[in-house]
Amino acid sequence: MKLRVEKESFLKAIGSISGAVSQRSTMQILSNILIETVGKGQVRLTGTDLELGIVCTTSTEVLEEGSITIPAKKIHDIIKELPQGAFELVVAKNNTVTIKNEKSYFKLVGLPKDDFPKLPEPQKESSLEIEQKQLKECLNLTNFAVSHDETRYVLNGVLCLVEGKAMKIVATDGRRLAYVKKELPGAGNFKMEAIIPTKTVQELGKILGEQGTVKITPVGNQIIFSVGEIQLISRLIEGHFPNYEQVIPKEEKVTAKLDCQKFLSAVRRASLLTSPEAQAVKLDVTKNKLLISSRSPNLGESREEVDSEVKGDDIVIGFNPSYLIDVLRNIGVETVEVSFSNPDKPAVMRGKEGYLCVIMPMQLN
């Protein structure tokens, strides 16, 4: 194989797939990226850790067709340090790879393509195309609530349900639950129920933009997201996601509407005086105001008022401030609504249409 490559486009392609490359595997081939020619004017780069794979196709000058796998970190670091402009990448019969321009020369030892894992190809039938911006927003509104407890593996991802021309995305760690529903007029008869691992969601978030569409294709126990010249292929989490509808409170006795940014800033300030012994911030909900306070025996205390439009009786309730902050910084609205029923029952935060987050309270010391 012999390529003449522009530094910036090749470096960008390597960056796109680097999140799927395994850095800890005992299999050397998984720390490599596969580089292979696709016709006369394109090269395809692939990285995988066997759970997640990313493929990126980029234009280049193909002088001689072929393929090779090269250590991902080394080739990235070498190309990053090359001067701007074009360079040649040449693969010899013994799998050695030379990278050179007018003044620089590097030689790397590669491995043949034969040992590299094969990734599934997308099917033409049974796929869904939606706006990138729409999917990205849904994932941002839910991914923070995913569990990182490996003993509850089924909660280590987001549930994505598509049925009846609507998409629902849900995440929970047992102490909070984030739920969003979007109408999909173009979904037709497409149906899907998949638990997508959190690492996949994070890598997908890097790829998705504000313009254009993303194609979603389920293939057995895997899923493929196609975005322009990039394909992300991921294994799905197998198992049954908990019945999230049972978690959403049906009763609401008190409702407070308030400025999202002011609420966020006040909770952040109150959280500064929490400690492992006193983790909660206290919310005193009264007529036309919300009092946010925290108290830690070894640190001190804080108290702050935020103007609020309150309907219902007064209530005093405690929460882990991190859970409130996660919602408020991702919700993307000017006004947020918080509903309560009892001090020992979960609260519901709402903002955008079709979105809610359920948060379990904490006992106040």
Side-chain angles (χ1 to χ4, degrees), residues 120-136:
E121 295 287 336
Q123 314 286 311
K124 286 190 177 177
E125 66 275 9
S126 187
S127 62
L128 172 69
E129 203 159 319
I130 64 172
E131 295 295 320
Q132 290 185 47
K133 184 178 181 180
Q134 191 175 42
L135 181 58
K136 188 170 188 173

Side-chain angles (χ1 to χ4, degrees), residues 17-32 46-54 114-120 153 197 199-200 221-223 232-238:
I17 67 167
S18 61
V21 178
S22 175
Q23 302 297 339
R24 301 177 186 173
S25 175
T26 53
M27 295 171 63
Q28 185 185 348
I29 195 81
L30 295 182
S31 62
N32 286 12
T46 306
T48 183
D49 62 3
L50 297 181
E51 296 294 322
L52 172 68
I54 304 178
D114 305 348
D115 299 329
F116 199 82
K118 287 183 171 60
L119 301 180
Y153 184 60
K199 181 181 177 182
T200 300
N221 69 337
Q222 301 191 72
I223 192 166
L232 185 150
I233 302 105
S234 171
R235 286 189 186 276
L236 297 171
I237 293 174
E238 295 185 26

Side-chain angles (χ1 to χ4, degrees), residues 188-309:
N189 297 319
F190 182 85
K191 287 185 179 182
M192 182 179 77
E193 182 172 347
I195 305 173
I196 304 166
T198 186
K199 181 181 177 182
T200 300
V201 172
Q202 289 165 357
E203 291 303 320
L204 188 57
K206 297 174 188 175
I207 294 167
L208 293 171
E210 297 297 311
Q211 304 291 330
T213 60
V214 51
K215 186 160 126 186
I216 305 170
T217 311
V219 184
N221 69 337
Q222 301 191 72
I223 192 166
I224 301 172
F225 296 92
S226 304
V227 183
E229 298 300 320
I230 300 174
Q231 278 183 1
L232 185 150
I233 302 105
S234 171
R235 286 189 186 276
L236 297 171
I237 293 174
E238 295 185 26
H240 294 287
F241 202 81
N243 186 342
Y244 60 89
E245 291 177 344
Q246 287 184 341
V247 178
I248 301 170
K250 306 295 186 286
E251 184 184 30
E252 295 175 0
K253 293 179 180 176
V254 188
T255 302
K257 285 185 179 179
L258 59 164
D259 184 284
C260 186
Q261 284 305 312
K262 287 179 181 176
F263 190 18
L264 173 60
S265 298
V267 173
R268 277 185 166 146
R269 285 189 283 270
S271 71
L272 297 174
L273 291 182
T274 58
S275 66
E277 298 79 30
Q279 293 182 339
V281 296
K282 184 169 77 166
L283 305 187
D284 284 87
V285 185
T286 58
K287 299 295 181 199
N288 299 322
K289 69 179 179 182
L290 181 69
L291 181 65
I292 302 165
S293 61
S294 60
R295 185 175 185 177
S296 177
N298 301 321
L299 291 173
E301 59 183 283
S302 77
R303 192 181 295 111
E304 184 166 346
E305 278 186 18
V306 178
D307 292 337
S308 176
E309 184 184 316

Side-chain angles (χ1 to χ4, degrees), residues 99-120:
I99 298 165
K100 59 183 180 180
N101 60 13
E102 291 178 3
K103 295 183 178 179
S104 303
Y105 175 91
F106 296 89
K107 182 180 277 190
L108 286 171
V109 178
L111 291 170
K113 174 188 173 180
D114 305 348
D115 299 329
F116 199 82
K118 287 183 171 60
L119 301 180

Side-chain angles (χ1 to χ4, degrees), residues 63-80:
L63 305 172
E64 189 178 310
E65 294 185 359
S67 63
I68 192 68
T69 78
I70 312 176
K73 189 170 187 323
K74 283 299 175 194
I75 189 168
H76 176 270
D77 292 348
I78 288 168
I79 294 171
K80 186 180 177 182

